[in-house]
């Protein structure tokens, strides 16, 4: 079952990565894959059926406070090797549709209203040991910067090859967000998250974990303090586009 084509034309879907918390107490935390004023898609391994009614809180650590919306499961996507499973959520309430629209409405840059963090730049540290993936990330970053038609957004991206080097960088410089692979040599992502949450100067930094692991890896990562868990293959550009979008709104 798919969403109403007329609704899709009226409310185009934009790739957006947001954290999804279930306000009725489901234990796991999921993420959105896209967003529109009429609904969104949630990547999840949890079992839902068409017609299920859900109340969800959408947020992004450090940039977007939880926005609660109610929706109905309109369709279900079965997991495949090249994409995670999940559900399409239709939002009917006009009030909740306005809330989604507010998230999507990027404001133009306003230097006079910039916060101290915005003036200094929003800094992302990516912890990844695969040189081919780092090369791909670098290419995407250059393309992202060259295609930005909405004015300059103060976003810097830095790299570390493993958890040990990442911890040194975090102790030396200020970062707004950490994106890390969970499985790396020297110090893996699980150990790095544990160290970040233990150190007083670092424990407040939002962390996004990237992994090919299943529910067990997700549960362990969440218990250690990961804010958002992304399953590979990761749409890296969509994470940064989401950050840029939220920076503009803020």
């Amino acid at each position: 079952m798919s969403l109403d084509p007329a609704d899709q034309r009226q409310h185009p879907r934009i790739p957006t990565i947001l954290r999804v918390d279930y306000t009725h107490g489901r234990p796991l935390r999921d993420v959105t894959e896209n967003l529109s004023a009429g609904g969104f898609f949630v990547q999840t391994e949890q079992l839902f059926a068409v017609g299920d009614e859900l109340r969800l809180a959408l947020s992004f650590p450090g940039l977007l406070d939880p926005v609660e919306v109610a929706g109905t499961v309109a369709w279900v996507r079965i997991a495949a090797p090249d994409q995670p499973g999940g559900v399409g959520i239709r939002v009917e309430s006009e009030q909740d549709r306005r809330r989604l629209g507010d998230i999507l409405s990027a404001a133009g840059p306003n230097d006079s209203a910039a916060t101290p963090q915005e003036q200094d730049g929003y800094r992302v540290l990516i912890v990844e040991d695969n040189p081919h993936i780092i090369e791909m990330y670098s290419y995407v970053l250059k393309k992202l910067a060259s295609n930005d038609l909405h004015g300059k957004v103060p976003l810097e991206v830095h790299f570390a090859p493993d958890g040990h080097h990442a911890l040194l960088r975090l102790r030396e410089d200020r970062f707004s967000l950490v994106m890390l692979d969970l499985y790396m040599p020297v110090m893996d992502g699980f150990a790095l998250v544990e160290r970040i949450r233990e150190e007083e100067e670092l424990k407040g930094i939002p962390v996004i974990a990237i992994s090919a692991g299943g529910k067990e890896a997700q549960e362990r990562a969440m218990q250690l303090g990961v804010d958002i868990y992304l399953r590979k293959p990761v749409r890296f550009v969509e994470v940064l586009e989401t950050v840029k979008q939220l920076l503009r709104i803020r």
Side-chain angles (χ1 to χ4, degrees), residues 71-133:
T72 303
V73 176
W75 61 289
V76 177
R77 185 177 76 193
I78 305 301
D82 60 338
Q83 65 179 8
V87 292
I89 304 294
R90 177 183 291 116
V91 173
E92 302 289 356
S93 161
E94 285 301 320
Q95 182 180 30
D96 286 350
R97 288 192 172 204
R98 283 196 297 272
R99 289 171 176 162
L100 295 179
D102 288 342
I103 298 175
L104 292 167
S105 298
N110 186 339
D111 295 337
S112 63
T115 66
Q117 176 170 279
E118 287 175 296
Q119 292 171 352
D120 294 339
Y122 190 89
R123 295 163 55 97
V124 179
L125 178 64
I126 297 176
V127 191
E128 172 61 61
D129 66 306
N130 188 323
H132 299 293
I133 294 179

Side-chain angles (χ1 to χ4, degrees), residues 52-73:
D52 284 351
E53 295 182 357
L54 303 174
R55 187 147 195 93
L56 312 168
L58 309 181
S59 63
F60 194 96
L63 287 178
L64 177 68
D65 292 333
V67 176
E68 289 195 15
V69 296
T72 303
V73 176

Side-chain angles (χ1 to χ4, degrees), residues 34-238:
N34 57 45
L35 193 72
S36 79
F40 47 91
F41 186 87
V42 177
Q43 293 184 6
T44 183
E45 292 185 355
Q46 303 187 64
L47 299 179
F48 295 106
V50 172
D52 284 351
E53 295 182 357
L54 303 174
R55 187 147 195 93
L56 312 168
L58 309 181
S59 63
F60 194 96
L63 287 178
L64 177 68
D65 292 333
V67 176
E68 289 195 15
V69 296
T72 303
V73 176
W75 61 289
V76 177
R77 185 177 76 193
I78 305 301
D82 60 338
Q83 65 179 8
V87 292
I89 304 294
R90 177 183 291 116
V91 173
E92 302 289 356
S93 161
E94 285 301 320
Q95 182 180 30
D96 286 350
R97 288 192 172 204
R98 283 196 297 272
R99 289 171 176 162
L100 295 179
D102 288 342
I103 298 175
L104 292 167
S105 298
N110 186 339
D111 295 337
S112 63
T115 66
Q117 176 170 279
E118 287 175 296
Q119 292 171 352
D120 294 339
Y122 190 89
R123 295 163 55 97
V124 179
L125 178 64
I126 297 176
V127 191
E128 172 61 61
D129 66 306
N130 188 323
H132 299 293
I133 294 179
I134 293 174
E135 183 179 356
M136 178 191 70
Y137 284 176
S138 299
Y139 171 79
V140 169
L141 286 169
K142 291 177 182 177
K143 188 174 181 180
L144 197 62
S146 64
N147 291 342
D148 188 5
L149 304 178
H150 301 281
K152 184 177 179 181
V153 176
L155 174 63
E156 297 179 15
V157 179
H158 302 260
F159 296 94
D162 54 58
H164 172 72
H165 287 87
L167 199 57
L168 294 177
R169 291 294 308 273
L170 290 167
R171 288 168 176 166
E172 294 173 353
D173 300 315
R174 179 194 61 80
F175 287 94
S176 314
L177 177 69
V178 175
M179 292 178 61
L180 54 86
D181 193 347
L182 288 178
Y183 299 100
M184 298 178 293
V186 184
M187 179 189 293
D188 66 18
F190 295 107
L192 176 57
V193 175
E194 194 170 18
R195 297 291 292 273
I196 289 173
R197 295 306 182 225
E198 286 175 351
E199 298 196 16
E200 188 66 30
E201 296 298 319
L202 305 180
K203 66 182 182 180
I205 300 175
V207 176
I208 295 177
I210 302 168
S211 175
K215 183 180 290 188
E216 183 178 340
Q218 181 180 10
E219 290 177 346
R220 183 183 174 195
M222 292 299 182
Q223 289 171 357
L224 290 172
V226 163
D227 294 284
I228 292 178
Y229 180 90
L230 298 176
R231 295 174 180 83
K232 291 184 176 180
V234 175
R235 296 178 177 86
F236 171 73
V237 65
E238 294 174 9

